[in-house]
Amino acid sequence: VLNKLDLCREQGATEEERERLVRRLQPALEEAMPSDTIRVHWLSCESREGVDEFLDALGGVVRESTETGNNDDAPLITRQRHRELVRRAHASLGRFIHSQFPIDVQA
């Protein structure tokens, strides 16, 4: 996630310039987070621009990694502590999505 989209726009940064920055960052991202696909999302915590798109993309990644055609292959959380942590994370994300506070206050 790259924040400050609002400031990039205020300073006249073009889409092409932002894409160039992402290409420059790509090797470091791939080294730090080995993955098949690195997805970069620009957003503004101030204006919330891009936040909904990011959350939709994040939800898609979670669905892809947890849904299977065969329930026998579905992930299973067997430890109570892990179930509680997932429940709390879900509740926190719900509060975050529906909050009226500025995003930087929520963080």
Side-chain angles (χ1 to χ4, degrees):
V1 172
L2 297 175
N3 187 23
K4 305 296 183 188
L5 178 58
D6 55 323
L7 295 180
C8 287
R9 292 221 169 106
E10 283 177 17
Q11 295 177 5
T14 65
E15 178 84 21
E16 183 178 309
E17 290 170 318
R18 286 184 290 146
E19 288 176 11
R20 203 168 32 245
L21 174 61
V22 170
R23 284 193 299 274
R24 283 198 345 243
L25 292 172
Q26 198 78 23
L29 293 172
E30 289 171 353
E31 183 178 328
M33 300 174 287
S35 173
D36 294 339
T37 305
I38 298 287
R39 296 176 181 109
V40 175
H41 295 273
W42 283 89
L43 54 85
S44 167
C45 289
E46 177 70 25
S47 70
R48 296 186 66 96
E49 181 179 359
V51 171
D52 290 337
E53 293 83 357
F54 167 68
L55 291 175
D56 289 344
L58 179 61
V61 169
V62 170
R63 273 189 298 283
E64 286 174 16
S65 66
T66 58
E67 289 180 347
T68 65
N70 180 352
N71 285 338
D72 293 338
D73 294 333
L76 181 62
I77 302 173
T78 59
R79 295 183 182 220
Q80 177 61 32
R81 181 175 66 89
H82 294 165
R83 284 193 300 272
E84 178 60 21
L85 290 170
V86 169
R87 186 197 65 71
R88 289 173 51 196
H90 180 265
S92 293
L93 286 171
R95 285 191 305 274
F96 170 79
I97 290 170
H98 299 293
S99 175
Q100 298 303 312
F101 289 108
I103 200 165
D104 55 336
V105 172
Q106 294 179 50

